[in-house]
Amino acid sequence: ARARGWVSEQRQRSAGSMDDDAAGSPLFTYLRTKLPDLLERAVFEGWKVAVPQASSLRGAAISQALVESHLLRQTAIRDEWKTANGRTVVVVKDPGSGSVRLTAGRGFPVQGNTVSVLAEDLWYGPSSDQGLQLVSVSEPLEKDSLSTLNSYATTVLEGEGGLPQNAYLRGG
């Protein structure tokens, strides 16, 4: 069964540039280009992709693990979702304001990190007539681990005069 949307139709429509932003996001680009089998599975099984705004990913090393933490499949428990790598995400809806937030739960390095859902849209691949729900979110669900990575890189740059060979960060 296809999952219903989290945001109102008005918010879906008002997110005019959301499709460009989400489909062009570094995280979604990585999924499309480096993990096509996982993308195909997500489309086929009706998962959602929580796509952090590109600006929130500056300096982040995009990896398969990070992408898997943003692929969401519904569980039998209302408003609970599991990531492709087995972590728990809870959807919290505010009936008064209509806002929707995702909260990182069990399995995440830091539990309780909450991000805002900005909009939703459907993405259709070139060879599929079945859409994939893209959920634009304010920040990565693993924001704290990205901050730790950036903090480590800054410490290394300032203290040691260079990055270790295995560290690569893109500025932006």
Side-chain angles (χ1 to χ4, degrees):
R2 236 317 149 211
R4 292 190 3 214
W6 291 329
V7 297
S8 68
E9 285 184 40
Q10 183 178 4
R11 284 182 64 199
Q12 287 179 18
R13 276 191 236 117
S14 69
S17 64
M18 183 268 177
D19 185 48
D20 294 335
D21 293 343
S25 157
L27 186 136
F28 191 66
T29 299
Y30 189 98
L31 175 62
R32 279 194 344 258
T33 58
K34 305 245 193 259
L35 305 169
D37 292 343
L38 191 56
L39 174 62
E40 187 176 318
R41 181 176 176 201
V43 170
F44 181 74
E45 294 185 15
W47 296 357
K48 292 186 183 209
V49 184
V51 183
Q53 290 183 312
S55 61
S56 71
L57 290 169
R58 279 199 192 104
I62 307 297
S63 65
Q64 181 169 345
L66 183 66
V67 171
E68 288 177 349
S69 291
H70 289 79
L71 285 173
L72 308 175
R73 54 192 163 86
Q74 198 161 22
T75 69
I77 300 170
R78 182 181 175 164
D79 294 332
E80 181 182 270
W81 294 68
K82 285 281 188 196
T83 65
N85 53 9
R87 297 172 173 178
T88 302
V89 174
V90 178
V91 179
V92 180
K93 301 172 189 171
D94 181 338
S97 68
S99 68
V100 181
R101 300 178 68 74
L102 303 182
T103 301
R106 288 184 310 278
F108 279 91
V110 177
Q111 294 183 25
N113 186 42
T114 300
V115 301
S116 296
V117 172
L118 306 173
E120 284 186 75
D121 207 346
L122 283 176
W123 173 85
Y124 291 92
S127 61
S128 175
D129 58 353
Q130 190 173 354
L132 178 66
Q133 286 187 297
L134 302 183
V135 180
S136 180
V137 294
S138 56
E139 302 169 313
L141 288 162
E142 290 196 54
K143 181 180 180 347
D144 291 317
S145 26
L146 294 177
S147 298
T148 301
L149 174 64
N150 288 339
S151 166
Y152 168 76
T154 302
T155 302
V156 169
L157 285 170
E158 291 172 355
E160 301 294 323
L163 283 172
Q165 284 189 323
N166 63 349
Y168 173 73
L169 297 177
R170 258 186 22 229

